[in-house]
Amino acid sequence: MAGTIRLDKFLAEMKKGTRSQVKEAIRKGRVLVDGAVCRESDYKFDPAAVTVCMDGEEVAFSSVEYFMLNKPQGVVSATEDNLHPTVISLIGDAKRKDLFPVGRLDIDTEGLLLITNDGKLAHELLSPKKHVDKVYFAKVKGKLREDVTEAFAKGITLADQTTVLPAELLIESSYEEDGEPVCEARLTIHEGKFHQVKRMFEAAGGQVVFLKRLSMGPLMLDPLLEPGESRPLTAEELKALRKS
């Protein structure tokens, strides 16, 4: 049972318009409940047991939604913003309007972002006590200290004297670009401090010039998703997330 909900609230939550717009639609007889016109905005019903149509189309009900997004650069991890497009604006097939990103990726960072309206799951994934693994691919310019892998494994101290938890660093390649040393690496962290990955590499003598999140807990970025694309989570992915 989904519980009861007001008709106007249901339509607004299912992205059929603002509350005032759906009230007007109801008043004009554009909304049917189980095949009959309903002109009462405050009519309460169980959306799991009733069929609602607006302008001749059934309004599908979803109490919770889960989307995997491959966040592109230039988009902010927010529900609304006056200057930049938001990650929520990229979820074109969402039914609900109360979705939010689980955590944040910087505007210039790409990769995996979970979008949902499940507050309980989001809290579990973001709780500092849970130490959920997050894996990033980073391209770093500059000469890193020789013991960077060991320093990260012990828990490096940032420029502001904050010490982060031990992290696993794997240098995948090293080369020169425009006469400057560059490395490509995978970094697994177990917390989510502000700009943490960038600050860790800065503390080791480097500058992150590209950053992409590859996974969060058991959830791995679908390689078929291009930047800006999203898809609903599979039942298996959601089950694994809840277990973690």
Side-chain angles (χ1 to χ4, degrees):
M1 292 287 289
T4 61
I5 187 172
R6 284 174 54 116
L7 182 57
D8 55 353
K9 186 172 188 292
F10 166 79
L11 291 171
E13 287 189 357
M14 295 302 109
K15 298 174 65 175
K16 293 303 176 182
T18 64
R19 187 70 77 92
S20 60
Q21 287 171 337
V22 299
K23 280 179 181 288
E24 180 71 5
I26 294 168
R27 186 183 66 81
K28 290 185 173 180
R30 292 162 50 197
V31 178
L32 306 182
V33 177
D34 275 348
V37 172
C38 180
R39 299 179 186 272
E40 301 171 28
S41 293
D42 60 354
Y43 175 75
K44 290 186 176 181
F45 64 100
D46 177 0
V50 168
T51 300
V52 177
C53 295
M54 180 172 169
D55 295 332
E57 293 187 1
E58 183 175 346
V59 182
F61 171 70
S62 180
S63 59
V64 287
E65 291 188 288
Y66 307 88
F67 293 92
M68 174 189 297
L69 171 68
N70 186 356
K71 178 193 170 299
Q73 295 184 20
V75 176
V76 294
S77 300
T79 56
E80 54 184 33
D81 189 90
N82 293 327
L83 297 176
H84 306 283
T86 70
V87 292
I88 302 302
S89 69
L90 300 178
I91 313 297
D93 52 350
K95 296 182 179 69
R96 302 191 61 91
K97 71 169 188 179
D98 56 351
L99 300 179
F100 58 86
V102 178
R104 300 175 62 87
L105 292 178
D106 295 341
I107 191 169
D108 58 350
T109 299
E110 298 183 5
L112 175 68
L113 196 60
L114 174 63
I115 309 292
T116 185
N117 62 323
D118 187 337
K120 182 179 179 181
L121 178 62
H123 175 75
E124 293 291 317
L125 291 171
L126 297 175
S127 172
K129 297 179 181 179
K130 299 293 184 180
H131 302 313
V132 174
D133 290 356
K134 304 173 189 69
V135 180
Y136 292 83
F137 169 81
K139 180 180 177 181
V140 185
K141 282 191 174 183
K143 184 172 177 56
L144 297 175
R145 53 190 279 187
E146 291 186 1
D147 67 339
V148 61
T149 301
E150 293 79 9
F152 279 13
K154 291 177 181 177
I156 196 168
T157 300
L158 306 180
D160 64 356
Q161 301 307 304
T162 298
T163 300
V164 299
L165 291 175
E168 293 78 54
L169 176 65
L170 174 64
I171 304 293
E172 296 185 331
S173 65
S174 299
Y175 53 93
E176 282 201 357
E177 191 174 89
D178 299 326
E180 189 173 2
V182 174
C183 75
E184 295 181 359
R186 289 189 184 229
L187 178 65
T188 302
I189 62 175
H190 312 285
E191 56 189 334
K193 288 185 168 63
F194 184 66
H195 294 325
Q196 180 172 337
V197 173
K198 294 175 181 177
R199 293 163 68 199
M200 288 175 68
F201 280 108
E202 285 173 2
Q207 178 189 5
V208 174
V209 294
F210 177 78
L211 188 61
K212 180 177 183 177
R213 183 155 71 187
L214 304 176
S215 67
M216 181 179 188
L219 187 63
M220 293 182 289
L221 180 64
D222 187 334
L224 298 179
L225 287 179
E226 296 291 334
E229 292 183 344
S230 65
R231 66 161 173 79
L233 291 194
T234 66
E236 293 77 15
E237 288 169 338
L238 185 54
K239 183 179 179 180
L241 268 182
R242 286 172 170 161
K243 271 190 176 181
S244 70

